[in-house]
Amino acid sequence: MANTEVDPVGRWVVVDHFGAVTTLLAVGDQEHAGVSPRRNLDRRAREVLLPALSEVIGSGAALRRIVHLGGDAYQVDARPVITPDRSHVTGAYGVFVSAADPVPEPPLIGAWQWTVDTSGNNVGSTSSQWDADLYRLHEFTPDEVQSSRGPVGDWLTRLLPYEERARVKTTVDAGLAAANGVHQLLTFGAVTRPDTPNPGRKQLALVGTSTVLPDRPGVFYAYGFTREVPKPSTYRTTGLDIVDAAEFARAYFALAGDVAYAAVDCLQSSTFMTSPSWGRLGLHEPFEGDIASLALAEDRPAFEEFVAAARRSVDHDAATHDVRLVRDDGSPARFRVRAARVDRTAAASRYLLLSFEARS
């Protein structure tokens, strides 16, 4: 059987620590998603680095020292991650290199805490707290906080892209309610420098837990830390009862009244989802065909050009078009169509979401 132990020399190792359990999260840009550090790091790391990480978790104080092993000397740098109120050490990160080599720049890791009731509402005026590194990670400042809930309120409403909010919100709510002391991992896209001419995007990951405060019935304390990761990963939901974020899309479609929605696969020229209001506007259902085939013959070329342009558009709000469509009874009717691309990374999105509003 091949040796799968990781040699982390020269790479920062990140671990979390909740209760009496320490798990490995990352070695450099290699993610490990909460596994045993002793089983996954090689012998040299177990003897040189892990004792230092355990020490800083226990003491809450950073250390830097020389460690000798088998005739070699290593420089070890280990640092704790501590909640903003300094009450809990939530993890640590460290690196070791040959004593003659420079220590690489450490990752930016920001700690957070949140005190809430059983519904997830803030408890106390300092319920939500971030440390300075977490603000730096989000490229956001305490002066920019607008929410009455503190930085967590801005995180959920301003620092998450729209498409992430339902998944993150339902996962966070479930994690708070579980209050089981078990670590939970969550990766998410983040908006940096919000409300500026030059906003940015990052892929971040948080690890945290929620525990019941024994001296405050009905009050939970959630805490953990956040760091940047190279790509999204499957998040762990141990013991959590999470509402599927897809249910938000279902409910949104169900509410459509005077507007109909259609999800279109432009490569297959097919419509694979329509809202319940589709039939109420007189359009044929079930409809699986090319969306442009609904247009009157003389309107179809312009409609197809609109769809093609919408696939490439970076300005969703500008994608509108008036077109005459043939209803189920064979009569024509004028509709205002809006389009938003789904895949924002490709040059042309394969999928479009279209809305149709009847015009007089």
Side-chain angles (χ1 to χ4, degrees):
M1 182 175 179
N3 184 0
T4 59
E5 293 178 344
V6 178
D7 174 7
V9 66
R11 294 186 288 169
W12 283 88
V13 172
V14 182
V15 299
D16 67 16
H17 182 78
F18 296 100
V21 179
T22 299
T23 69
L24 177 64
L25 297 180
V27 177
D29 60 1
Q30 182 180 356
E31 294 294 298
H32 287 272
V35 297
S36 167
R38 185 158 293 278
R39 293 179 181 176
N40 288 272
L41 297 178
D42 69 3
R43 182 189 65 85
R44 184 170 51 169
R46 292 196 297 269
E47 297 191 31
V48 173
L49 182 61
L50 288 189
L53 292 176
S54 296
E55 184 175 330
V56 301
I57 288 172
S59 69
L63 66 81
R64 193 164 187 170
R65 66 188 178 206
I66 300 296
V67 175
H68 296 274
L69 179 68
D72 295 317
Y74 299 97
Q75 185 175 189
V76 180
D77 188 326
R79 310 177 187 191
V81 184
I82 307 176
T83 54
D85 67 0
R86 313 299 291 180
S87 66
H88 289 73
V89 176
T90 65
Y93 53 114
V95 67
F96 69 102
V97 296
S98 172
D101 293 337
V103 172
E105 283 294 313
L108 185 57
I109 296 177
W112 50 267
Q113 65 187 73
W114 196 13
T115 308
V116 296
D117 63 19
T118 54
S119 298
N121 295 313
N122 286 22
V123 174
S125 59
T126 59
S127 165
S128 170
Q129 297 183 47
W130 286 10
D131 72 1
D133 285 338
L134 188 52
Y135 280 104
R136 281 194 286 271
L137 189 62
H138 280 278
E139 300 177 55
F140 190 63
T141 69
D143 292 340
E144 294 176 276
V145 173
Q146 298 178 4
S147 173
S148 61
R149 304 180 73 191
V152 72
D154 285 87
W155 176 61
L156 289 168
T157 58
R158 298 173 63 205
L159 301 179
L160 292 175
Y162 286 105
E163 64 271 17
E164 296 272 21
R165 293 178 188 176
R167 178 179 65 87
V168 172
K169 177 71 166 64
T170 54
T171 303
V172 168
D173 288 345
L176 291 172
N180 57 11
V182 177
H183 86 166
Q184 304 296 335
L185 302 178
L186 174 66
T187 65
F188 56 93
V191 176
T192 61
R193 303 184 301 278
D195 306 323
T196 72
N198 184 34
R201 292 289 289 265
K202 288 181 177 178
Q203 190 67 41
L204 303 180
L206 67 79
V207 59
T209 196
S210 173
T211 60
V212 176
L213 291 178
D215 56 340
R216 302 177 69 181
V219 178
F220 301 149
Y221 180 69
Y223 61 99
F225 60 84
T226 301
R227 59 198 171 87
E228 190 167 3
V229 293
K231 60 183 180 180
S233 61
T234 302
Y235 54 93
R236 297 167 67 93
T237 55
T238 307
L240 303 191
D241 183 15
I242 300 175
V243 175
D244 188 341
E247 290 299 300
F248 283 81
R250 179 203 56 76
Y252 184 73
F253 267 45
L255 285 176
D258 297 330
V259 178
Y261 294 94
V264 175
D265 181 336
C266 298
L267 294 187
Q268 293 182 354
S269 297
S270 66
T271 303
F272 61 90
M273 184 166 58
T274 58
S275 63
S277 55
W278 186 261
R280 294 198 295 270
L281 294 188
L283 299 170
H284 176 73
E285 60 175 351
F287 178 73
E288 301 176 359
D290 178 6
I291 198 74
S293 69
L294 294 175
L296 290 180
E298 54 268 39
D299 286 8
R300 180 165 182 167
F303 188 31
E304 290 178 332
E305 289 179 9
F306 164 74
V307 169
R311 293 182 61 200
R312 300 186 300 271
S313 174
V314 295
D315 185 357
H316 297 179
D317 293 335
T320 62
H321 182 70
D322 285 352
V323 62
R324 290 173 296 172
L325 303 181
V326 179
R327 294 183 295 195
D328 193 32
D329 62 6
S331 64
R334 185 174 297 277
F335 288 85
R336 168 67 53 85
V337 186
R338 300 177 68 87
R341 55 183 292 167
V342 176
D343 181 356
R344 297 184 299 177
T345 60
S349 177
R350 173 172 180 165
Y351 306 104
L352 285 181
L353 187 64
L354 303 173
S355 70
F356 297 82
E357 181 180 5
R359 310 287 286 178
S360 57

